[in-house]
Amino acid sequence: MKLVLKFVNGIFITVIFLWTGVLMLYIFASIDLLSFKQADNVKKVGHSHKVDVSPASDEMRVESDKAEVTDTARYNKLLLHLVHNKPSVKWPVNAGYPLPGALLPYNRIVAFYGNLYSTRMGILGALPEAELLKQLAEEADKWRQADTCMPVIPALHYIAVTAQRNPGKDRKYRLHMPATEIDKVLLLAEKAHAIVFLDIQPGWSSLQEELPLLEKYLARPDVHLGIDPEYSMKNRQVPCTAIGTFDAEDINYAISWLAALVQQYNLPPKMLVVHRFTQGMVTNYSNIRIKPEVQFVMNMDGFGGVAKKLDTYRSWISGEPVQFTGFKLFYKNDVETGGHLMQPAEVLALFPKPVYIQYQ
């Protein structure tokens, strides 16, 4: 009897040791796998990602996963439409077919620009909510009627990092908007059935420093990026006392960072809007490298009379092609400087036709 008990106890102890060993192997394997994934994320964008994507973002991602394959025939047709069916040496730009879920050139974006703290930085922030939503819908409808070949998507283009005349504690001459303000814009966009652009005016800071701070929002499929070289003060002058600049190297960093984000979170392509109204605001434009995960828009950002705006567009937007073009309309400044608020038909006469329209 004693021999039987010893035999049973021996088997029991052996099973326990074996089970413990299997469990420890599983735990170590899981840790190694997580470490590998984190290291891969670091290689993609230069730092490890720790993003808490909101439930709304998860829901939108499910929709984007169902995107149809790229409609190449429609893509080719729309590229010709943008150049009035008269392609030139420079236009349309052959950047390859977009990835599924891309918004351009299948749609035109009509955006309201500004900051909720200021009534002077743009129409976004200048009007009460109900009036803002009504006016955005009306402007979008004008563009639908003016160009029936292209659906219109409304957008809110929010300045999330604003250049400042005062240096601040870290002497970077820029101010980060609080999360509560960005959340307000996201909620407003939801009411408007709109997408969102978060804009960076870096001051003395850099895109390398600023982009990771907005990652939580840019990880959403409905949020895109704008960067403003006017307020990139590499000359170490105070913002608004001189015009700043981005080099192609800066823009390529933003493109690569966004592309890595798209890959990591399985997102549809991001749009990147770069503002421009002088040659010096963007240097070495021909070195800008487009990636399939990012759709690039060079946005004509100057105000004034119609002739001045058209000349700026022809010189630094149409004249130095990258991928797609945009055009800004100023409700006040265009009129106050001797011009008028250009109507859709006037803007659509441009070569190429802009796919991104911004109202300030």
PDB file of all heavy atoms in Angstrom, residues 218-238:
ATOM      1  N   LEU A 218      -4.042  61.742 -34.204  1.00  0.00           N
ATOM      2  CA  LEU A 218      -3.727  61.362 -35.581  1.00  0.00           C
ATOM      3  C   LEU A 218      -3.858  59.863 -35.805  1.00  0.00           C
ATOM      4  O   LEU A 218      -3.884  59.405 -36.947  1.00  0.00           O
ATOM      5  CB  LEU A 218      -2.315  61.841 -35.933  1.00  0.00           C
ATOM      6  CG  LEU A 218      -2.176  63.365 -36.049  1.00  0.00           C
ATOM      7  CD1 LEU A 218      -0.706  63.770 -36.088  1.00  0.00           C
ATOM      8  CD2 LEU A 218      -2.909  63.899 -37.268  1.00  0.00           C
ATOM      9  N   ALA A 219      -3.944  59.088 -34.719  1.00  0.00           N
ATOM     10  CA  ALA A 219      -4.195  57.653 -34.850  1.00  0.00           C
ATOM     11  C   ALA A 219      -5.641  57.360 -35.220  1.00  0.00           C
ATOM     12  O   ALA A 219      -5.987  56.217 -35.504  1.00  0.00           O
ATOM     13  CB  ALA A 219      -3.831  56.934 -33.543  1.00  0.00           C
ATOM     14  N   ARG A 220      -6.486  58.384 -35.206  1.00  0.00           N
ATOM     15  CA  ARG A 220      -7.873  58.220 -35.649  1.00  0.00           C
ATOM     16  C   ARG A 220      -7.934  58.328 -37.174  1.00  0.00           C
ATOM     17  O   ARG A 220      -7.244  59.155 -37.771  1.00  0.00           O
ATOM     18  CB  ARG A 220      -8.759  59.301 -35.031  1.00  0.00           C
ATOM     19  CG  ARG A 220      -8.891  59.256 -33.535  1.00  0.00           C
ATOM     20  CD  ARG A 220      -9.622  60.492 -33.015  1.00  0.00           C
ATOM     21  NE  ARG A 220     -10.886  60.707 -33.680  1.00  0.00           N
ATOM     22  CZ  ARG A 220     -12.074  60.717 -33.066  1.00  0.00           C
ATOM     23  NH1 ARG A 220     -12.143  60.499 -31.763  1.00  0.00           N
ATOM     24  NH2 ARG A 220     -13.176  60.938 -33.735  1.00  0.00           N
ATOM     25  N   PRO A 221      -8.785  57.542 -37.822  1.00  0.00           N
ATOM     26  CA  PRO A 221      -8.861  57.599 -39.287  1.00  0.00           C
ATOM     27  C   PRO A 221      -9.490  58.881 -39.824  1.00  0.00           C
ATOM     28  O   PRO A 221      -9.335  59.182 -41.007  1.00  0.00           O
ATOM     29  CB  PRO A 221      -9.723  56.376 -39.644  1.00  0.00           C
ATOM     30  CG  PRO A 221     -10.494  56.082 -38.412  1.00  0.00           C
ATOM     31  CD  PRO A 221      -9.621  56.471 -37.255  1.00  0.00           C
ATOM     32  N   ASP A 222     -10.174  59.641 -38.969  1.00  0.00           N
ATOM     33  CA  ASP A 222     -10.844  60.862 -39.436  1.00  0.00           C
ATOM     34  C   ASP A 222     -10.031  62.121 -39.156  1.00  0.00           C
ATOM     35  O   ASP A 222     -10.514  63.234 -39.375  1.00  0.00           O
ATOM     36  CB  ASP A 222     -12.226  60.986 -38.781  1.00  0.00           C
ATOM     37  CG  ASP A 222     -12.156  60.998 -37.264  1.00  0.00           C
ATOM     38  OD1 ASP A 222     -11.206  60.427 -36.695  1.00  0.00           O
ATOM     39  OD2 ASP A 222     -13.071  61.569 -36.619  1.00  0.00           O
ATOM     40  N   VAL A 223      -8.798  61.992 -38.685  1.00  0.00           N
ATOM     41  CA  VAL A 223      -7.967  63.153 -38.344  1.00  0.00           C
ATOM     42  C   VAL A 223      -6.721  63.169 -39.221  1.00  0.00           C
ATOM     43  O   VAL A 223      -6.009  62.163 -39.330  1.00  0.00           O
ATOM     44  CB  VAL A 223      -7.572  63.142 -36.854  1.00  0.00           C
ATOM     45  CG1 VAL A 223      -6.659  64.333 -36.535  1.00  0.00           C
ATOM     46  CG2 VAL A 223      -8.811  63.188 -35.967  1.00  0.00           C
ATOM     47  N   HIS A 224      -6.468  64.326 -39.836  1.00  0.00           N
ATOM     48  CA  HIS A 224      -5.339  64.500 -40.744  1.00  0.00           C
ATOM     49  C   HIS A 224      -4.455  65.648 -40.252  1.00  0.00           C
ATOM     50  O   HIS A 224      -4.729  66.243 -39.214  1.00  0.00           O
ATOM     51  CB  HIS A 224      -5.865  64.738 -42.158  1.00  0.00           C
ATOM     52  CG  HIS A 224      -6.767  63.643 -42.647  1.00  0.00           C
ATOM     53  ND1 HIS A 224      -6.305  62.559 -43.363  1.00  0.00           N
ATOM     54  CD2 HIS A 224      -8.105  63.441 -42.483  1.00  0.00           C
ATOM     55  CE1 HIS A 224      -7.317  61.739 -43.635  1.00  0.00           C
ATOM     56  NE2 HIS A 224      -8.419  62.256 -43.104  1.00  0.00           N
ATOM     57  N   LEU A 225      -3.411  65.971 -40.993  1.00  0.00           N
ATOM     58  CA  LEU A 225      -2.388  66.889 -40.491  1.00  0.00           C
ATOM     59  C   LEU A 225      -2.187  68.081 -41.416  1.00  0.00           C
ATOM     60  O   LEU A 225      -2.212  67.950 -42.636  1.00  0.00           O
ATOM     61  CB  LEU A 225      -1.057  66.128 -40.341  1.00  0.00           C
ATOM     62  CG  LEU A 225       0.157  66.932 -39.854  1.00  0.00           C
ATOM     63  CD1 LEU A 225      -0.053  67.424 -38.417  1.00  0.00           C
ATOM     64  CD2 LEU A 225       1.416  66.089 -39.963  1.00  0.00           C
ATOM     65  N   GLY A 226      -1.962  69.244 -40.797  1.00  0.00           N
ATOM     66  CA  GLY A 226      -1.509  70.427 -41.513  1.00  0.00           C
ATOM     67  C   GLY A 226      -0.259  70.966 -40.834  1.00  0.00           C
ATOM     68  O   GLY A 226      -0.148  70.920 -39.607  1.00  0.00           O
ATOM     69  N   ILE A 227       0.704  71.463 -41.621  1.00  0.00           N
ATOM     70  CA  ILE A 227       1.907  72.071 -41.058  1.00  0.00           C
ATOM     71  C   ILE A 227       2.143  73.403 -41.759  1.00  0.00           C
ATOM     72  O   ILE A 227       1.945  73.524 -42.963  1.00  0.00           O
ATOM     73  CB  ILE A 227       3.140  71.155 -41.175  1.00  0.00           C
ATOM     74  CG1 ILE A 227       3.403  70.732 -42.615  1.00  0.00           C
ATOM     75  CG2 ILE A 227       2.955  69.917 -40.289  1.00  0.00           C
ATOM     76  CD1 ILE A 227       4.674  69.891 -42.788  1.00  0.00           C
ATOM     77  N   ASP A 228       2.566  74.392 -40.982  1.00  0.00           N
ATOM     78  CA  ASP A 228       2.623  75.761 -41.493  1.00  0.00           C
ATOM     79  C   ASP A 228       4.048  76.308 -41.441  1.00  0.00           C
ATOM     80  O   ASP A 228       4.534  76.729 -40.382  1.00  0.00           O
ATOM     81  CB  ASP A 228       1.693  76.653 -40.667  1.00  0.00           C
ATOM     82  CG  ASP A 228       1.357  77.945 -41.398  1.00  0.00           C
ATOM     83  OD1 ASP A 228       2.109  78.320 -42.312  1.00  0.00           O
ATOM     84  OD2 ASP A 228       0.349  78.585 -41.046  1.00  0.00           O
ATOM     85  N   PRO A 229       4.742  76.341 -42.578  1.00  0.00           N
ATOM     86  CA  PRO A 229       6.116  76.857 -42.596  1.00  0.00           C
ATOM     87  C   PRO A 229       6.222  78.345 -42.280  1.00  0.00           C
ATOM     88  O   PRO A 229       7.300  78.807 -41.879  1.00  0.00           O
ATOM     89  CB  PRO A 229       6.580  76.565 -44.025  1.00  0.00           C
ATOM     90  CG  PRO A 229       5.337  76.402 -44.823  1.00  0.00           C
ATOM     91  CD  PRO A 229       4.314  75.851 -43.888  1.00  0.00           C
ATOM     92  N   GLU A 230       5.139  79.097 -42.443  1.00  0.00           N
ATOM     93  CA  GLU A 230       5.181  80.529 -42.136  1.00  0.00           C
ATOM     94  C   GLU A 230       5.653  80.769 -40.699  1.00  0.00           C
ATOM     95  O   GLU A 230       6.302  81.779 -40.404  1.00  0.00           O
ATOM     96  CB  GLU A 230       3.797  81.157 -42.337  1.00  0.00           C
ATOM     97  CG  GLU A 230       3.770  82.651 -42.044  1.00  0.00           C
ATOM     98  CD  GLU A 230       2.395  83.270 -42.222  1.00  0.00           C
ATOM     99  OE1 GLU A 230       1.446  82.535 -42.607  1.00  0.00           O
ATOM    100  OE2 GLU A 230       2.254  84.488 -41.990  1.00  0.00           O
ATOM    101  N   TYR A 231       5.324  79.830 -39.818  1.00  0.00           N
ATOM    102  CA  TYR A 231       5.646  79.981 -38.402  1.00  0.00           C
ATOM    103  C   TYR A 231       6.709  78.978 -37.944  1.00  0.00           C
ATOM    104  O   TYR A 231       6.803  78.674 -36.755  1.00  0.00           O
ATOM    105  CB  TYR A 231       4.376  79.831 -37.570  1.00  0.00           C
ATOM    106  CG  TYR A 231       3.311  80.833 -37.952  1.00  0.00           C
ATOM    107  CD1 TYR A 231       2.229  80.444 -38.742  1.00  0.00           C
ATOM    108  CD2 TYR A 231       3.402  82.162 -37.568  1.00  0.00           C
ATOM    109  CE1 TYR A 231       1.257  81.362 -39.117  1.00  0.00           C
ATOM    110  CE2 TYR A 231       2.442  83.087 -37.944  1.00  0.00           C
ATOM    111  CZ  TYR A 231       1.372  82.675 -38.721  1.00  0.00           C
ATOM    112  OH  TYR A 231       0.409  83.586 -39.095  1.00  0.00           O
ATOM    113  N   SER A 232       7.504  78.471 -38.865  1.00  0.00           N
ATOM    114  CA  SER A 232       8.643  77.612 -38.529  1.00  0.00           C
ATOM    115  C   SER A 232       9.891  78.487 -38.553  1.00  0.00           C
ATOM    116  O   SER A 232      10.521  78.687 -39.600  1.00  0.00           O
ATOM    117  CB  SER A 232       8.755  76.462 -39.538  1.00  0.00           C
ATOM    118  OG  SER A 232       9.934  75.721 -39.325  1.00  0.00           O
ATOM    119  N   MET A 233      10.255  79.018 -37.387  1.00  0.00           N
ATOM    120  CA  MET A 233      11.227  80.108 -37.312  1.00  0.00           C
ATOM    121  C   MET A 233      12.654  79.580 -37.159  1.00  0.00           C
ATOM    122  O   MET A 233      13.298  79.732 -36.119  1.00  0.00           O
ATOM    123  CB  MET A 233      10.860  81.055 -36.169  1.00  0.00           C
ATOM    124  CG  MET A 233       9.388  81.455 -36.126  1.00  0.00           C
ATOM    125  SD  MET A 233       8.728  82.032 -37.726  1.00  0.00           S
ATOM    126  CE  MET A 233       9.667  83.521 -37.992  1.00  0.00           C
ATOM    127  N   LYS A 234      13.167  78.981 -38.228  1.00  0.00           N
ATOM    128  CA  LYS A 234      14.528  78.464 -38.188  1.00  0.00           C
ATOM    129  C   LYS A 234      15.555  79.578 -38.126  1.00  0.00           C
ATOM    130  O   LYS A 234      16.709  79.353 -37.738  1.00  0.00           O
ATOM    131  CB  LYS A 234      14.772  77.585 -39.412  1.00  0.00           C
ATOM    132  CG  LYS A 234      13.925  76.322 -39.434  1.00  0.00           C
ATOM    133  CD  LYS A 234      14.328  75.408 -40.551  1.00  0.00           C
ATOM    134  CE  LYS A 234      13.545  74.113 -40.477  1.00  0.00           C
ATOM    135  NZ  LYS A 234      13.976  73.148 -41.498  1.00  0.00           N
ATOM    136  N   ASN A 235      15.140  80.785 -38.520  1.00  0.00           N
ATOM    137  CA  ASN A 235      16.026  81.942 -38.445  1.00  0.00           C
ATOM    138  C   ASN A 235      16.083  82.531 -37.032  1.00  0.00           C
ATOM    139  O   ASN A 235      16.763  83.524 -36.789  1.00  0.00           O
ATOM    140  CB  ASN A 235      15.568  83.034 -39.421  1.00  0.00           C
ATOM    141  CG  ASN A 235      14.081  83.356 -39.262  1.00  0.00           C
ATOM    142  OD1 ASN A 235      13.483  83.057 -38.221  1.00  0.00           O
ATOM    143  ND2 ASN A 235      13.492  83.972 -40.267  1.00  0.00           N
ATOM    144  N   ARG A 236      15.360  81.883 -36.094  1.00  0.00           N
ATOM    145  CA  ARG A 236      15.302  82.296 -34.691  1.00  0.00           C
ATOM    146  C   ARG A 236      14.794  83.737 -34.521  1.00  0.00           C
ATOM    147  O   ARG A 236      15.159  84.438 -33.588  1.00  0.00           O
ATOM    148  CB  ARG A 236      16.683  82.150 -34.022  1.00  0.00           C
ATOM    149  CG  ARG A 236      17.039  80.677 -33.732  1.00  0.00           C
ATOM    150  CD  ARG A 236      15.959  80.063 -32.860  1.00  0.00           C
ATOM    151  NE  ARG A 236      16.263  78.717 -32.395  1.00  0.00           N
ATOM    152  CZ  ARG A 236      15.679  77.613 -32.850  1.00  0.00           C
ATOM    153  NH1 ARG A 236      14.810  77.690 -33.837  1.00  0.00           N
ATOM    154  NH2 ARG A 236      15.951  76.440 -32.334  1.00  0.00           N
ATOM    155  N   GLN A 237      13.911  84.136 -35.426  1.00  0.00           N
ATOM    156  CA  GLN A 237      13.199  85.389 -35.253  1.00  0.00           C
ATOM    157  C   GLN A 237      11.861  85.102 -34.584  1.00  0.00           C
ATOM    158  O   GLN A 237      11.387  83.959 -34.547  1.00  0.00           O
ATOM    159  CB  GLN A 237      12.998  86.088 -36.599  1.00  0.00           C
ATOM    160  CG  GLN A 237      14.306  86.602 -37.189  1.00  0.00           C
ATOM    161  CD  GLN A 237      14.079  87.346 -38.496  1.00  0.00           C
ATOM    162  OE1 GLN A 237      14.123  86.745 -39.568  1.00  0.00           O
ATOM    163  NE2 GLN A 237      13.850  88.641 -38.409  1.00  0.00           N
ATOM    164  N   VAL A 238      11.234  86.137 -34.058  1.00  0.00           N
ATOM    165  CA  VAL A 238       9.958  85.988 -33.369  1.00  0.00           C
ATOM    166  C   VAL A 238       8.857  85.775 -34.406  1.00  0.00           C
ATOM    167  O   VAL A 238       8.832  86.472 -35.431  1.00  0.00           O
ATOM    168  CB  VAL A 238       9.659  87.238 -32.516  1.00  0.00           C
ATOM    169  CG1 VAL A 238       8.281  87.139 -31.871  1.00  0.00           C
ATOM    170  CG2 VAL A 238      10.736  87.399 -31.452  1.00  0.00           C
TER     171      VAL A 238
END
